[in-house]
Amino acid sequence: MRKLFGMPGEEKLVNYYSCSYWKGRVPRQGWVYLSVNHLCFYSLLLGKEVTLVVQWTEVTRLEKNATLLFPESVRVSTRHTEHYFSMFLNVNDTFKLMEQLATIAMRQLLDNESFAADHSLPKACKTLKNVSALKRDLDARAKNERYRALFRLTQDERLDGHTDCTLWTPFAKMHIVGQLFVSNNYICFCSREEDLCQLIIPLREVSIVEKADSSSVLPCPVSISTKNKMTFLFANLKDRDFLVQRISDFLQRTPESGHSGSPSPSTTPLSSSLPTPTGAAGEPSQRRHYSPSLPTATQSLLHIYQKDAPEEHGPKATKEKMKEESWNIHFLEFGRGVCMYRTSKTRELVLNGIPESLRGELWLLFSGAQNEMDTHPGYYAERVEQAMGRCTLATEEIERDLHRSMPEHHAFQNEMGIAALRRVLTAYACRNPGIGYCQAMNIVTSVLLLYCTEEEAFWLLVALCERMLPDYYNTRVVGALVDQGVFEELTRACLPFLYEHMQELGVISTISLSWFLTLFLSVMPFDSAVLLVDCFFYEGIKVIFQVALAVLHANMDTLLDCNDEGEAMTILGRYLDNVVNKQTVSPPIPHLHALLTSGDEPPPQIDVFQLIKSSCEKFGSLRADVIEQMRFHQRLKVIQSLEDTAKRSVVRAIMTDSAFSIEELEELYVHFKAKHIMSCYWGASTTAAERHDPSLPYLEQYRIDLGQFCQLFGALGTWLCGTHTATLAARLFRLLDMNKDGLINFKEFVTGLSGMYHGDMTEKLKLLYNLHLPPALCPEEAESALEATQFFTDDTPQGTHTLIHFCLIPCVCPLQEQFIELCKTLYNMFSEDPLEQELYHAIATVASLLLRIGEVGKKFTNNGANKPTDTTNAQSLVCRALAEAQLETLPQQTSDEEVKDDTSVSSYSMVSTGSLQCEDIADDTVLIGCAGDQQRQGSILEGDWSITFEQVLASMLTEPPLVDYFEKKGDIQARMAICKMQRRVERQVSSSSDHELAQLST
């Protein structure tokens, strides 16, 4: 890849495949190369070369098609074009890898973290041809993700292996065919037939693993016993000995746990470990104060408020008792706790409603939160203590929303419920600063606290935010927007006529966001919505999709008659307000949304159990893997749409302060962010977290360092000075870097470019002038300048400040050394100009004049000392500056003879003989070009020599070529067009450039 596509050594190839790339109507046979950050294609056929490079971060759509024109093809879409690839040997494997790499790129856009290879993978048993270590890594990641999603396990769980087997089910008296999975902390089983049986056995619960006696009926069995006296019998294992050994190895690494997997709360009471909060002065905080015997540490809020209520004996209470008894029978037959058999019978009981007394226990079990809580004793108490006294943006938002969390429920009408909610939300914000707090988290958490203790509610919130509803509660609610797109796609497939009408009204995107973010808790009566939460914890997000489709289907006729968005939203709002739970035993809770939307005639009530049943019957064919595939497609679309929104927000914020047009700013932002993104995975000097802060406004989120700025300056800047360009770029970077953190944001970048492109002559010269003064100079350059600035007066004339408003520098050139650097910069800038000869004459004349002015100024500065001005030495300084600049721009010669034989008249010879008219210039030029530091320093005039910006400007105005050059407007469009035509990858810089950048950064 490095040879074909100019990739740097940091870019890692994952795999490559033979295929055809359709360029127009002609297929080009070649190879597609899939690296971590790029999709590349190369073909060389009949002398015609085709090269394509696409960054994964630019992909907006990735599809596998099967059409007559493109059989088994893959379409890769970006914002500006589409690419078709076909004739793969195995299109499914290729497409899966493409999906993985595109997903990694989208995650990079979200979190700004680079891809980190997993170096702890076990070595392959045999060397696989054409399979790289990265390919094995990505395959292992895909298997781990499927395994964790299937069994609701934590992100650090790694699948060790899986094998076909059978499981003896005592409740059915039969062997069930399925697969056994073994990871570092769990043994799991899933039947081949969906919903038939699922089993999760934490290794911390295992007491014995042994090989049972083999027979023709039960070949190669393995028996696993747990601490709560349950025994599981697996058979038909292909490599039983190896499996038992692997499980034994994992058991030896498993720490002893005091938890038995029972539904009881953590054995370490929260109240005994929670600290007493203190205020800023060390005194107890009245707002956060609670006693060591905290009720919510061991009981749910609903249990606390209902323990003194009189016992119900009506039909509803009887129904509730029957549900409890059904679950108790189920526990006796299928087990209770984390090792329970999960079957179709379990699902049926969940759909019929979980009794309130078991709701918290079963939520913890089905979500996987029980396992995480058992393996992290005391963790919640530590986070609560860590969050105490903190004042962050998240805590401020939490305080603002606390009293908006189910205010109609009596549990949150007093300080006990509010304080518990505050502790859970702030503890989670402390655990996950990337999310912190997002609106809707308060509503969901308040419901969790009604049925769980604080610690249990915390771990349920972890399961929701980090596993079951990924990316839902970040700053841009990406996950909810993705599922909103999935819902639109499902509506188009299941209810096509309604979809077309709803799209015209624009209703789907408006109504569905709150449905998904709060799991219907904010739009449906509490007693009804909590039943949907029961189903959600067991079956996942597909239940929410099913119910949402059922709601649209039930109101299809009336929605088709709607003429505007408001009417459609009113119909759906009133329908959801009247979804009731007639079996609830809790006192009725007023639904604020229902009170606000009720009309003159109340609509008929809808039984929530009937709604759930209808959703399963009509839309129960939805599968989790299909939803995940749809999520992938929508994620590409949503994230790229958010990136476009961010770009527009940045441009709107900066357009009033910049002379660039909107289109130019948008294109500059694309180049700036591309440089930032590339630095994330190609070894930048700073980490991604330092260069990207999502809490900042869009304008300041992305930042680049010196090396990346130098590359952009060379590609987009107008002041290109050959080998001196890197030095000039580094000085401009230091001038823009106000906080001296070695990074600049987009606004600062545009400020620097505006000075070069849109300033008048005075403004451009001010910027150029200040690039040769501190703080633009590097520490070594600034040291000599600092000595002279001590002699400056504070009464700097008004108007002698730099173009950049935040950099107030006395516009006095302190030493001839800085003046010589300015002359070199100007000489190099003119080297490619069509009028370079006139410009060289002009700058030589101006430089000679300024040196004489400086000499006169020095005479008055030295208290009128009558010291003659050494005009010849001043002219020699000009010659030296121009000679050094010329030597930098001359092409490399192969020998001294070639230099002597060069009969062309150089620009420097024209300047020296025509403008300065000094006889010894040629000799002086030779000496300066070859002499050491001692000779160089000997030519510098002594004393406090200086010139002001006004003197520089006045001298420049005397030369029309210089006036025309600096008044000429730059063409940023042409520069950006050249960048577009180039390949959108960074080529390796030469060793000399690397050395130069290394020196500049020190």
Side-chain angles (χ1 to χ4, degrees):
M1 287 190 67
R2 301 187 191 102
K3 182 178 179 181
L4 292 177
F5 307 105
M7 297 285 181
E10 294 85 354
E11 184 69 0
K12 303 300 182 184
L13 176 66
V14 180
N15 212 349
Y16 59 95
Y17 303 91
S18 172
C19 69
S20 292
Y21 170 56
W22 291 79
K23 192 173 183 181
R25 296 183 179 181
V26 180
R28 302 296 180 92
Q29 186 65 31
W31 296 86
V32 62
Y33 297 83
L34 305 181
S35 69
V36 172
N37 305 298
H38 295 87
L39 179 151
C40 306
F41 178 83
Y42 180 79
S43 173
L44 180 59
L45 193 62
L46 299 177
K48 292 186 178 180
E49 186 180 51
V50 176
T51 304
L52 173 71
V53 177
V54 178
Q55 292 185 25
W56 290 117
T57 52
E58 295 178 351
V59 174
T60 58
R61 193 170 183 83
L62 191 62
E63 291 181 296
K64 183 174 63 174
N65 299 319
T67 63
L68 184 61
L69 182 60
F70 300 114
E72 291 192 333
S73 64
V74 173
R75 182 174 69 174
V76 180
S77 303
T78 64
R79 287 181 176 85
H80 308 293
T81 186
E82 292 183 345
H83 307 283
Y84 288 89
F85 303 88
S86 64
M87 300 180 70
F88 292 95
L89 294 177
N90 193 329
V91 67
N92 292 326
D93 287 349
T94 308
F95 187 72
K96 285 180 181 178
L97 181 56
M98 287 181 172
E99 284 184 322
Q100 274 188 283
L101 295 170
T103 301
I104 291 172
M106 294 306 105
R107 178 57 55 186
Q108 188 180 78
L109 288 175
L110 274 180
D111 301 336
N112 231 252
E113 289 295 340
S114 60
F115 173 80
D118 188 352
H119 299 291
S120 61
L121 283 176
K123 292 184 178 180
C125 299
K126 59 180 180 178
T127 303
L128 301 177
K129 188 177 181 181
N130 297 335
V131 177
S132 65
L134 277 178
K135 179 66 168 62
R136 289 181 56 235
D137 183 354
L138 291 172
D139 289 344
R141 289 177 187 227
K143 291 179 180 178
N144 286 333
E145 289 172 3
R146 288 193 296 268
Y147 170 63
R148 290 192 294 258
L150 181 61
F151 299 104
R152 307 274 172 82
L153 303 178
T154 58
Q155 295 299 317
D156 57 351
E157 199 63 26
R158 296 160 59 103
L159 179 64
D160 186 71
H162 59 90
T163 183
D164 294 335
C165 70
T166 59
L167 170 66
W168 170 254
T169 52
F171 53 87
K173 301 295 189 293
M174 61 180 293
H175 293 277
I176 295 179
V177 178
Q179 280 194 320
L180 181 70
F181 300 82
V182 178
S183 60
N184 46 323
N185 293 300
Y186 297 91
I187 301 170
C188 302
F189 174 83
C190 183
S191 61
R192 184 176 298 173
E193 183 180 343
E194 190 177 4
D195 292 332
L196 189 57
C197 182
Q198 192 182 80
L199 184 64
I200 302 173
I201 308 172
L203 290 180
R204 66 179 185 275
E205 298 294 327
V206 174
S207 57
I208 300 174
V209 177
E210 58 184 353
K211 292 180 284 188
D213 294 334
S214 182
S215 66
S216 58
V217 179
L218 201 64
C220 301
V222 171
S223 173
I224 299 177
S225 301
T226 63
K227 297 174 182 177
N228 59 356
K229 310 304 181 184
M230 292 185 70
T231 301
F232 304 95
L233 188 62
F234 299 92
N236 291 283
L237 295 163
K238 293 181 179 179
D239 198 343
R240 180 176 63 166
D241 294 340
F242 178 76
L243 176 65
V244 171
Q245 184 60 47
R246 290 300 294 167
I247 295 175
S248 300
D249 292 343
F250 284 127
L251 281 173
Q252 291 178 359
R253 305 173 199 167
T254 303
E256 291 291 331
S257 173
H259 301 283
S260 61
S262 63
S264 59
S266 175
T267 55
T268 303
L270 178 65
S271 57
S272 64
S273 55
L274 284 174
T276 301
T278 57
E283 298 178 357
S285 171
Q286 296 299 322
R287 182 172 60 86
R288 295 179 181 265
H289 178 72
Y290 54 91
S291 65
S293 57
L294 193 65
T296 52
T298 56
Q299 302 176 78
S300 65
L301 287 174
L302 210 59
H303 183 267
I304 293 172
Y305 285 98
Q306 289 183 353
K307 63 181 180 180
D308 297 328
E311 186 176 356
E312 293 281 344
H313 296 286
K316 292 183 178 180
T318 303
K319 183 74 172 179
E320 187 76 2
K321 291 290 184 182
M322 291 175 62
K323 285 184 181 180
E324 292 179 6
E325 186 61 27
S326 298
W327 276 99
N328 288 329
I329 294 172
H330 184 81
F331 292 147
L332 289 174
E333 188 174 1
F334 297 89
R336 186 169 187 172
V338 291
C339 298
M340 180 179 71
Y341 291 97
R342 307 176 193 198
T343 67
S344 55
K345 178 66 174 178
T346 312
R347 179 177 180 271
E348 183 181 339
L349 288 175
V350 171
L351 293 179
N352 288 330
I354 299 175
E356 290 187 351
S357 60
L358 297 174
R359 185 161 276 147
E361 171 190 339
L362 294 175
W363 283 359
L364 286 166
L365 178 64
F366 297 145
S367 65
Q370 181 72 55
N371 287 318
E372 202 164 7
M373 185 176 73
D374 287 349
T375 54
H376 294 81
Y379 179 90
Y380 171 66
E382 293 172 2
R383 296 289 82 75
V384 172
E385 182 178 4
Q386 189 177 353
M388 282 301 172
R390 282 191 176 186
C391 184
T392 63
L393 178 62
T395 57
E396 292 176 1
E397 293 176 344
I398 290 170
E399 289 297 327
R400 186 179 64 240
D401 287 348
L402 283 175
H403 294 278
R404 306 175 187 173
S405 309
M406 293 189 68
E408 66 275 15
H409 200 288
H410 57 277
F412 297 97
Q413 294 172 357
N414 58 73
E415 184 57 27
M416 180 186 293
I418 295 295
L421 181 60
R422 178 188 294 117
R423 285 190 292 273
V424 173
L425 291 175
T426 54
Y428 185 77
C430 181
R431 167 190 168 87
N432 193 341
I435 292 179
Y437 172 76
C438 175
Q439 285 188 346
M441 286 174 67
N442 59 321
I443 296 175
V444 175
T445 307
S446 60
V447 174
L448 300 178
L449 281 168
L450 289 176
Y451 299 99
C452 306
T453 66
E454 280 189 37
E455 186 176 15
E456 293 169 345
F458 171 81
W459 288 113
L460 279 170
L461 185 61
V462 170
L464 278 173
C465 295
E466 299 175 13
R467 296 194 298 276
M468 301 191 71
L469 296 175
D471 299 320
Y472 258 59
Y473 300 109
N474 55 26
T475 53
R476 296 189 282 182
V477 293
V478 173
L481 293 174
V482 168
D483 282 350
Q484 186 181 71
V486 172
F487 179 56
E488 290 188 18
E489 198 171 337
L490 290 172
T491 304
R492 180 173 56 187
C494 301
L495 307 169
F497 296 109
L498 180 60
Y499 170 80
E500 292 179 4
H501 185 64
M502 297 282 277
Q503 283 295 101
E504 293 176 2
L505 301 179
V507 177
I508 296 180
S509 59
T510 306
I511 61 174
S512 57
L513 190 60
S514 62
W515 294 3
F516 293 111
L517 273 175
T518 64
L519 304 176
F520 284 95
L521 288 166
S522 63
V523 295
M524 194 180 287
F526 168 74
D527 294 327
S528 302
V530 77
L531 294 175
L532 300 183
V533 178
D534 292 343
C535 301
F536 167 76
F537 276 121
Y538 186 78
E539 292 199 288
I541 193 64
K542 78 170 189 176
V543 172
I544 306 301
F545 284 122
Q546 289 174 186
V547 172
L549 289 171
V551 170
L552 293 184
H553 184 269
N555 293 273
M556 185 162 55
D557 294 337
T558 52
L559 289 173
L560 288 173
D561 294 334
C562 291
N563 298 317
D564 56 59
E565 177 185 359
E567 185 180 357
M569 293 183 65
T570 301
I571 291 171
L572 291 172
R574 296 188 68 185
Y575 177 88
L576 292 171
D577 290 337
N578 288 275
V579 176
V580 298
N581 178 6
K582 299 179 181 179
Q583 299 180 12
T584 181
V585 294
S586 300
I589 301 171
H591 185 42
L592 295 183
H593 188 264
L595 296 176
L596 295 174
T597 59
S598 59
D600 298 332
E601 298 181 4
Q605 293 183 338
I606 300 95
D607 188 355
V608 65
F609 292 101
Q610 191 60 39
L611 176 62
I612 294 174
K613 181 180 178 182
S614 174
S615 70
C616 293
E617 290 175 351
K618 292 184 173 65
F619 309 104
S621 59
L622 283 179
R623 298 203 322 270
D625 58 336
V626 174
I627 291 175
E628 286 303 317
Q629 186 68 31
M630 297 170 73
R631 275 178 165 178
F632 166 75
H633 293 302
Q634 292 297 326
R635 191 176 293 113
L636 291 178
K637 179 180 177 182
V638 167
I639 293 179
Q640 297 292 13
S641 175
L642 289 173
E643 292 299 309
D644 291 340
T645 301
K647 178 175 68 176
R648 290 191 294 268
S649 300
V650 169
V651 169
R652 282 197 301 268
I654 204 175
M655 60 184 296
T656 56
D657 300 326
S658 173
F660 289 114
S661 66
I662 294 178
E663 293 76 14
E664 290 171 344
L665 286 173
E666 288 182 347
E667 189 64 30
L668 284 173
Y669 180 84
V670 170
H671 288 289
F672 184 88
K673 186 172 181 183
K675 187 65 61 178
H676 167 85
I677 291 295
M678 288 179 182
S679 68
C680 292
Y681 48 73
W682 280 354
S685 57
T686 53
T687 63
E690 291 174 323
R691 285 177 278 105
H692 180 231
D693 186 355
S695 64
L696 294 174
Y698 286 131
L699 187 62
E700 303 174 13
Q701 280 190 12
Y702 298 106
R703 295 176 288 179
I704 57 175
D705 60 20
L706 173 61
Q708 296 141 29
F709 177 79
C710 288
Q711 293 171 8
L712 283 176
F713 184 89
L716 300 173
T718 58
W719 295 346
L720 303 183
C721 311
T723 57
H724 196 61
T725 301
T727 302
L728 194 66
R731 291 179 175 181
L732 180 57
F733 181 86
R734 284 189 287 268
L735 201 62
L736 296 170
D737 184 16
M738 285 298 297
N739 58 1
K740 305 304 176 188
D741 62 350
L743 299 167
I744 63 170
N745 59 38
F746 180 66
K747 183 177 182 179
E748 294 166 337
F749 172 73
V750 169
T751 301
L753 283 185
S754 295
M756 291 186 286
Y757 277 98
H758 296 292
D760 56 22
M761 179 178 180
T762 303
E763 291 169 338
K764 289 180 181 178
L765 285 176
K766 280 183 181 179
L767 176 58
L768 189 63
Y769 188 90
N770 282 283
L771 292 179
H772 297 80
L773 295 175
L777 304 180
C778 66
E780 293 78 9
E781 295 170 329
E783 187 176 354
S784 60
L786 182 61
E787 298 173 1
T789 55
Q790 295 173 353
F791 299 98
F792 295 161
T793 58
D794 293 332
D795 53 344
T796 305
Q798 186 176 5
T800 61
H801 298 291
T802 180
L803 166 70
I804 303 173
H805 63 85
F806 48 73
C807 191
L808 301 177
I809 309 166
C811 287
V812 180
C813 201
L815 291 176
Q816 289 94 338
E817 193 67 28
Q818 274 63 56
F819 178 73
I820 290 170
E821 288 294 319
L822 177 60
C823 292
K824 288 168 62 177
T825 299
L826 291 170
Y827 182 93
N828 283 287
M829 286 170 59
F830 303 150
S831 62
E832 298 294 333
D833 195 274
L835 301 176
E836 61 177 330
Q837 299 297 332
E838 291 84 348
L839 290 169
Y840 289 151
H841 282 288
I843 194 59
T845 303
V846 169
S848 180
L849 176 61
L850 287 172
L851 280 167
R852 294 189 180 96
I853 292 173
E855 283 300 302
V856 174
K858 184 187 71 171
K859 177 178 178 181
F860 287 100
T861 303
N862 292 334
N863 297 323
N866 189 11
K867 184 176 180 180
T869 302
D870 191 351
T871 307
T872 303
N873 201 17
Q875 294 171 346
S876 298
L877 285 171
V878 178
C879 296
R880 191 188 97 193
L882 299 180
E884 289 182 353
Q886 185 194 21
L887 290 174
E888 291 179 359
T889 57
L890 281 176
Q892 295 293 328
Q893 303 291 345
T894 57
S895 66
D896 292 339
E897 293 297 326
E898 292 185 13
V899 179
K900 294 178 181 178
D901 293 340
D902 188 1
T903 57
S904 62
V905 181
S906 68
S907 302
Y908 176 69
S909 62
M910 299 258 319
V911 171
S912 59
T913 58
S915 296
L916 298 181
Q917 298 178 355
C918 55
E919 298 176 359
D920 59 342
I921 286 178
D923 295 337
D924 186 37
T925 302
V926 173
L927 287 173
I928 292 175
C930 306
D933 293 340
Q934 186 175 0
Q935 290 172 303
R936 175 178 175 137
Q937 293 174 2
S939 66
I940 299 178
L941 298 177
E942 298 178 357
D944 303 325
W945 185 94
S946 61
I947 56 174
T948 64
F949 172 72
E950 284 79 3
Q951 293 167 341
V952 174
L953 178 61
S955 301
M956 291 279 194
L957 289 172
T958 63
E959 295 293 330
L962 294 177
V963 174
D964 294 340
Y965 180 86
F966 283 102
E967 287 290 351
K968 181 174 58 178
K969 298 294 183 182
D971 187 2
I972 188 69
Q973 291 282 7
R975 303 291 301 179
M976 291 189 296
I978 294 173
C979 291
K980 274 186 178 181
M981 293 172 62
Q982 296 171 348
R983 295 174 185 169
R984 301 192 174 190
V985 294
E986 295 293 331
R987 294 185 176 273
Q988 290 176 301
V989 294
S990 63
S991 57
S992 60
S993 298
D994 284 338
H995 178 67
E996 189 172 0
L997 284 176
Q999 286 185 325
L1000 292 171
S1001 61
T1002 57

